[in-house]
Amino acid sequence: MPSHTFADRSAAQPPERGTVEALISQTHRLRGDVDAVRRDAVPDEDDPRLRWQRALCDLAVHHLDDLGLQLGQLRDGMPPGAEAPLAEAAGGVATVQLPATRTESGPGPVNTPAGSAEWNLLTDEVDWSEELFRLFGRSPEDGALSLDELPSFVVPEDQQLLTAMVTDCLVDGKPIDGEFRITRPDSTTRTVHMMGEPVLDADGCTASMWAVVRDVTELRRRRQAVHDTRDSLRRQQHIARTERRIAVELQESVLPPWRGSLRLPPGGSTSLDLAAHYLPSATGALIGGDWYDAMPLPDGRALLSVGDLTGHGVAATSGMAMLLGALRGMAVAGAEPGPLMGWLNQLLDASAQPALGSAVCCRYDPATATLTWSQAGHPAPLLFREGIGRALEAPEGVLLGATSGAVYGQAEERLLPGDVLVLRTDGLSPRSMGLDDPADDATGAPRLLALAPRLSAARSAQECVRVVAEEFGGAEREDDACVLVARIGP
């Protein structure tokens, strides 16, 4: 019988699709070779070797069918840890061992021990191989089971199935090919697969029956584990898609409705020309808690803010919505930026879902062109004037939710026509280009400051945002980020 050896790859490195396709092709070719040998092994009552050879060929065909099915599952993209086992097939071996694979119960080889039996209907003799005695957990001294005794080892639910298979074989001459469960003397239950054929005498009557029985308990358990893993993966993917959709819808409903530019108040040499941009993470699979906001206040001043709440998904966006709603409400009520940050900290500290957040809150007075601002563990705004950029000196302020009763300071900055103010969240630069690169950091400050000539020369906030997006938009960042640009002047 032709033999082929299939080398599988390490469980730590899933096989490439092309490799699996090649293995599937080899499996199909090997199955054809086995079929050819099986056709030549015509049962002969005078030559038991041919009957045994044909039975082994039938067993090998079933092993190859199982292998082809599992390789197909692997090709279709099973997750790491659920790879189908690759078989090492050798001709004439009654016990087949598949290479170790990782399943829910850990790695280990798949053993499918098999044994043979012959029931002579003329002499009532029964011949079992040693392997079959071990498979049934029965001692050879106890003798082999007759066809009448065999159902006593079969679980009640499967006895009718076995009876039907044996009857069809003995009466109608049909081959046996089916599975049933047996209960061994040690009370363990095993799933076995039986393949058998009738042996006819010269008159065409059934004289005996040959069968090969293999223990497929572990194989079926692992197949079920693969099936369960796939179902679990599909459920997780569905949940992830649903959560992302909800997070996106919540984020879009909370962030400012304006797109492009906004002017606050609408006119005057010291009014604010505003524009913002949201930069998603490289994968876009998870939505973070980043926000930007700008809105007019009842007293004629304007509120500017950016912030970031830790986490991703619905929890982060819902927490962000809570903070942003509270910030807007307190700002409209006239709260100063410093005390406002303290109340946000208290709100987050008392939240049912504890989290940490960072934020910058600015209040701009167009009458005096004064910016009053406070921060909570957040990068300071960058001010660009006449081609030179610098970070504003930050007042005291720890992360929101880090400690109870935290006090937040305030700072003031007088702005001039033509000034450009850039507020952004952490993560603007990818970590690989930030923390590991002394020329940059995750806030993007050095790279932003290098854009000072272009930002100062820009004629609108929207043009400034385009400059920033060109610089950072193509980066493979690990997290979401956003930038808010305010330009002073008409």
Side-chain angles (χ1 to χ4, degrees):
M1 183 183 299
S3 64
H4 298 263
T5 300
F6 301 145
D8 65 329
R9 299 178 65 178
S10 169
Q13 182 181 4
E16 298 292 339
R17 186 179 182 88
T19 303
V20 178
E21 291 285 2
L23 289 173
I24 292 175
S25 298
Q26 292 182 51
T27 303
H28 290 166
R29 288 196 298 270
L30 180 56
R31 192 188 190 286
D33 293 341
V34 175
D35 273 334
V37 175
R38 183 172 59 171
R39 286 193 298 270
D40 293 338
V42 179
D44 188 330
E45 63 178 343
D46 296 327
D47 191 351
R49 291 182 302 124
L50 287 179
R51 294 198 299 269
W52 175 239
Q53 185 180 19
R54 182 176 176 85
L56 284 177
C57 288
D58 290 338
L59 178 62
V61 165
H62 272 263
H63 279 306
L64 291 170
D65 287 342
D66 286 335
L67 176 61
L69 175 63
Q70 295 169 30
L71 286 173
Q73 293 173 337
L74 179 59
R75 176 195 58 194
D76 294 339
M78 290 304 298
E83 296 88 350
L86 307 179
E88 179 177 358
V93 179
T95 299
V96 178
Q97 179 169 310
L98 304 182
T101 58
R102 185 174 301 277
T103 64
E104 293 176 345
S105 61
V110 177
N111 293 313
T112 55
S116 63
E118 183 177 12
W119 291 272
N120 192 311
L121 304 182
L122 302 179
T123 64
D124 290 332
E125 295 180 351
V126 182
D127 183 20
W128 275 23
S129 67
E130 294 181 5
E131 293 83 3
L132 192 58
F133 277 105
R134 288 196 295 269
L135 193 156
F136 273 76
R138 186 175 176 84
S139 171
E141 287 74 17
D142 296 330
L145 297 174
S146 68
L147 289 178
D148 292 333
E149 295 172 328
L150 186 60
S152 64
F153 269 65
V154 179
V155 299
E157 295 83 1
D158 295 349
Q159 289 178 358
Q160 185 176 358
L161 172 63
L162 174 62
T163 300
M165 289 192 300
V166 173
T167 300
D168 289 343
C169 178
L170 299 180
V171 176
D172 300 327
K174 295 181 179 180
I176 290 179
D177 189 350
E179 294 183 6
F180 52 90
R181 292 164 294 168
I182 62 172
T183 301
R184 303 197 300 188
D186 61 2
S187 299
T188 60
T189 300
R190 310 296 292 178
T191 300
V192 300
H193 181 265
M194 174 183 281
M195 298 177 58
E197 289 186 351
V199 179
L200 306 181
D201 59 17
D203 298 329
C205 298
T206 302
S208 63
M209 187 183 81
W210 270 79
V212 173
V213 182
R214 61 171 179 156
D215 186 343
V216 295
T217 305
E218 184 68 11
L219 187 62
R220 296 298 173 256
R221 186 188 69 80
R222 294 197 176 192
R223 180 178 293 179
Q224 184 63 43
V226 170
H227 182 271
D228 293 343
T229 300
R230 175 172 290 178
D231 287 347
S232 177
L233 178 61
R234 288 172 177 168
R235 288 193 298 270
Q236 292 173 7
Q237 290 174 338
H238 175 72
I239 292 173
R241 287 193 297 267
T242 301
E243 289 185 348
R244 186 184 187 282
R245 176 179 55 80
I246 295 173
V248 169
E249 292 176 354
L250 181 58
Q251 182 191 63
E252 291 179 347
S253 67
V254 172
L255 292 182
W258 49 272
R259 297 293 184 267
S261 60
L262 174 72
R263 186 170 291 274
L264 295 176
S269 60
T270 58
S271 63
L272 295 179
D273 177 24
L274 297 162
H277 186 64
Y278 185 89
L279 297 95
S281 64
T283 62
L286 294 175
I287 303 299
D290 295 63
W291 84 78
Y292 63 86
D293 194 28
M295 61 178 291
L297 298 176
D299 58 7
R301 290 180 288 191
L303 171 71
L304 309 178
S305 72
V306 297
D308 180 14
L309 194 66
T310 56
H312 295 87
V314 175
T317 52
S318 61
M320 177 267 287
M322 175 191 69
L323 282 183
L324 187 53
L327 188 154
R328 288 169 174 169
M330 288 185 285
V332 168
E336 294 284 332
L340 190 153
M341 282 293 185
W343 292 325
L344 286 182
N345 177 68
Q346 183 177 350
L347 177 64
L348 193 59
D349 183 59
S351 174
Q353 296 180 335
L356 295 176
S358 67
V360 165
C361 178
C362 305
R363 188 184 64 187
Y364 177 69
D365 187 349
T368 60
T370 301
L371 183 79
T372 304
W373 69 287
S374 180
Q375 65 84 27
H378 200 88
L382 301 180
L383 178 62
F384 297 87
R385 178 179 294 169
E386 297 180 352
I388 300 176
R390 65 179 176 88
L392 299 184
E393 185 174 352
E396 178 185 5
V398 299
L399 286 171
L400 299 174
T403 181
S404 300
V407 177
Y408 295 84
Q410 285 187 178
E412 289 189 356
E413 188 75 26
R414 181 72 181 273
L415 304 180
L416 302 177
D419 283 354
V420 173
L421 193 68
V422 176
L423 286 68
R424 79 282 186 202
T425 60
D426 198 1
L428 192 60
S429 282
R431 188 164 301 166
S432 59
M433 297 179 61
L435 300 181
D436 297 333
D437 186 350
D440 203 353
D441 63 21
T443 71
R447 293 170 66 188
L448 282 169
L449 293 174
L451 299 175
R454 297 177 61 187
L455 295 176
S456 296
R459 297 183 178 181
S460 67
Q462 187 64 44
E463 186 177 342
C464 292
V465 165
R466 282 195 293 268
V467 171
V468 175
E470 290 173 2
E471 178 69 19
F472 296 95
E476 293 290 326
R477 64 183 49 79
E478 292 83 0
D479 203 354
D480 297 0
C482 58
V483 59
L484 174 64
V485 175
R487 185 178 182 277
I488 315 302

